[in-house]
Coordinates of all heavy atoms in Angstrom, one line a residue:
Y9 N 109.4 109.9 96.8 CA 110.4 109.4 95.9 C 110.9 108.0 96.4 O 111.0 107.8 97.5 CB 111.6 110.4 95.8 CG 111.1 111.7 95.5 CD1 110.8 112.7 96.4 CD2 110.9 112.1 94.1 CE1 110.4 113.9 96.1 CE2 110.5 113.4 93.8 CZ 110.2 114.3 94.8 OH 109.8 115.5 94.4
A10 N 111.1 107.2 95.4 CA 111.8 105.9 95.6 C 113.2 106.2 95.1 O 113.4 106.6 93.9 CB 111.2 104.8 94.9
H20 N 122.8 90.9 82.5 CA 122.1 89.6 82.7 C 120.7 89.7 82.1 O 120.1 90.8 82.2 CB 122.1 89.3 84.2 CG 121.7 87.9 84.5 ND1 120.4 87.4 84.4 CD2 122.5 86.8 84.8 CE1 120.4 86.2 84.7 NE2 121.7 85.8 84.9
D22 N 118.0 88.6 83.3 CA 117.0 89.0 84.3 C 116.9 90.5 84.5 O 115.8 91.0 84.7 CB 117.4 88.4 85.7 CG 117.1 86.9 85.8 OD1 116.5 86.3 84.9 OD2 117.5 86.4 86.9
A25 N 114.9 91.8 81.6 CA 113.4 91.6 81.8 C 112.9 92.5 82.9 O 111.7 93.0 82.8 CB 113.2 90.1 82.3
I30 N 109.3 97.1 84.6 CA 109.2 97.9 85.8 C 108.2 99.1 85.5 O 107.4 99.4 86.4 CB 110.5 98.5 86.4 CG1 110.2 99.1 87.7 CG2 111.2 99.3 85.4 CD1 111.5 99.5 88.5
G32 N 105.5 99.2 83.8 CA 104.1 98.7 84.0 C 103.7 98.6 85.4 O 102.5 98.7 85.7
P36 N 100.2 102.2 87.6 CA 98.9 102.2 88.4 C 99.0 103.1 89.7 O 98.0 103.5 90.2 CB 98.6 100.8 88.8 CG 99.4 100.0 87.9 CD 100.6 100.8 87.5
G39 N 103.7 106.4 89.3 CA 105.2 106.5 89.4 C 105.8 106.8 88.0 O 105.3 106.4 87.0
L42 N 112.5 109.8 87.3 CA 113.0 111.1 87.2 C 114.5 111.1 87.0 O 115.1 112.0 86.3 CB 112.8 111.8 88.6 CG 111.3 111.9 89.0 CD1 111.2 112.5 90.4 CD2 110.5 112.8 88.0
Q47 N 124.7 109.5 84.1 CA 126.0 109.6 84.7 C 125.9 110.6 85.8 O 125.5 111.7 85.6 CB 127.0 110.0 83.6 CG 128.4 110.1 84.1 CD 129.0 108.7 84.5 OE1 128.6 107.7 83.9 NE2 129.8 108.6 85.5
H54 N 132.1 109.2 98.4 CA 132.3 108.1 97.4 C 130.9 107.6 97.1 O 130.2 107.2 98.0 CB 133.2 107.1 98.1 CG 133.5 105.9 97.2 ND1 134.3 106.0 96.1 CD2 133.1 104.6 97.3 CE1 134.4 104.9 95.5 NE2 133.7 104.0 96.2
V59 N 122.4 105.8 90.3 CA 121.3 106.4 91.0 C 120.0 106.3 90.2 O 120.0 106.6 89.0 CB 121.6 107.9 91.3 CG1 120.4 108.6 92.0 CG2 122.9 108.1 92.0
V61 N 115.9 107.5 90.6 CA 114.9 108.2 91.3 C 113.6 108.1 90.6 O 113.5 108.4 89.4 CB 115.2 109.7 91.5 CG1 114.2 110.4 92.3 CG2 116.6 109.9 92.2
G63 N 109.5 109.2 91.0 CA 108.6 110.1 91.7 C 107.2 109.5 91.7 O 106.8 108.8 90.8
S66 N 102.4 110.5 96.1 CA 102.4 110.5 97.6 C 103.2 109.3 98.1 O 103.5 108.4 97.4 CB 101.0 110.4 98.1 OG 100.5 109.1 97.9
L67 N 103.5 109.4 99.4 CA 104.3 108.3 100.0 C 103.4 107.0 100.0 O 103.9 105.9 99.9 CB 104.7 108.7 101.4 CG 105.6 107.7 102.1 CD1 106.9 107.4 101.3 CD2 106.0 108.3 103.5
E69 N 101.3 106.1 97.8 CA 101.4 105.4 96.4 C 102.7 104.8 96.2 O 102.8 103.7 95.6 CB 101.0 106.4 95.4 CG 99.5 106.7 95.3 CD 99.1 107.9 94.7 OE1 99.7 109.0 95.0 OE2 98.2 107.9 93.8
S76 N 103.2 96.1 95.9 CA 102.3 95.5 95.0 C 102.8 94.1 94.5 O 104.0 93.9 94.4 CB 102.1 96.4 93.8 OG 103.3 96.4 93.0
P77 N 101.8 93.2 94.2 CA 102.2 91.9 93.7 C 103.0 92.0 92.4 O 103.9 91.3 92.1 CB 100.9 91.2 93.5 CG 100.0 91.8 94.5 CD 100.4 93.3 94.5
I90 N 122.0 92.7 91.4 CA 122.5 94.0 91.7 C 122.4 94.3 93.2 O 121.3 94.2 93.8 CB 121.7 95.2 91.0 CG1 121.9 95.0 89.5 CG2 122.3 96.5 91.4 CD1 121.1 96.1 88.7
V100 N 109.3 117.5 100.4 CA 108.9 118.6 101.4 C 107.7 119.3 100.8 O 107.5 119.3 99.6 CB 110.1 119.6 101.6 CG1 111.3 118.9 102.3 CG2 110.5 120.3 100.3
G103 N 106.9 125.6 99.5 CA 107.2 126.7 100.4 C 108.0 126.3 101.6 O 108.3 127.1 102.5
P106 N 114.0 125.8 105.1 CA 115.0 125.2 106.0 C 115.4 126.0 107.2 O 115.8 125.5 108.2 CB 116.2 124.8 105.1 CG 116.1 125.8 104.0 CD 114.6 126.1 103.7

Side-chain angles (χ1 to χ4, degrees):
Y9 305 93
H20 194 281
D22 282 354
I30 189 170
L42 302 175
Q47 184 65 35
H54 181 69
V59 179
V61 179
S66 71
L67 189 55
E69 285 160 309
S76 71
I90 299 178
V100 297

